Amino acid sequence: QVQLVESGGGLVQAGGSLRLSCAASGRTFSSYVVGWFRQAPGKEREFVAAIRRSGGSTYYADTVKGRFTISRDNAKNTVYLQMNSLKPEDTAVYYCAADGTLSFVRPYWGQGTQVTVSS
């Protein structure tokens, strides 16, 4: 069992930056692949970024590649999402997810954190 708590969301102007954190409970956090997903109003939840257990491999949606960076600190049971050059279309609730594989078939989910980017 893993419990995930996101933080770091807020209101920022276009071009600004935010860093989201996903803090996990449980001593086996390092055995999970962790990802960030987002859901904008009226849209389906979509993949944003993911990171493998050791942090050696990362994956990004094309829409955020070059602007967002995912990282993890297994000693702190925390995964981060650094978001730079934010755009209004990045506005969404951002969710952290943990699963055994990159497929995220049945992940543990956090409660989400709101990110709003004003133009």
Side-chain angles (χ1 to χ4, degrees):
Q1 186 81 11
V2 175
Q3 292 184 327
L4 306 172
V5 178
E6 302 96 332
S7 62
L11 174 64
V12 64
Q13 289 187 332
S17 299
L18 283 174
R19 188 176 82 156
L20 305 183
S21 298
C22 171
S25 64
R27 291 176 290 179
T28 60
F29 176 68
S30 61
S31 66
Y32 289 92
V33 176
V34 179
W36 286 96
F37 293 75
R38 66 187 182 186
Q39 187 167 19
K43 295 187 177 181
E44 293 187 352
R45 191 172 298 188
E46 64 176 7
F47 169 78
V48 175
I51 187 166
R52 287 196 181 271
R53 297 169 182 80
S54 65
S57 296
T58 57
Y59 307 86
Y60 299 93
D62 288 342
T63 51
V64 306
K65 200 171 294 182
R67 300 187 297 122
F68 291 10
T69 302
I70 188 171
S71 61
R72 69 189 297 165
D73 185 339
N74 287 334
K76 295 183 178 179
N77 278 5
T78 302
V79 170
Y80 305 96
L81 185 68
Q82 178 66 44
M83 305 186 296
N84 298 329
S85 302
L86 283 161
K87 304 175 181 180
E89 51 264 42
D90 294 318
T91 295
V93 177
Y94 283 71
Y95 298 90
C96 177
D99 203 350
T101 71
L102 281 170
S103 297
F104 291 100
V105 175
R106 293 182 63 187
Y108 295 101
W109 290 101
Q111 84 290 348
T113 185
Q114 176 70 47
V115 172
T116 302
V117 184
S118 63
S119 57

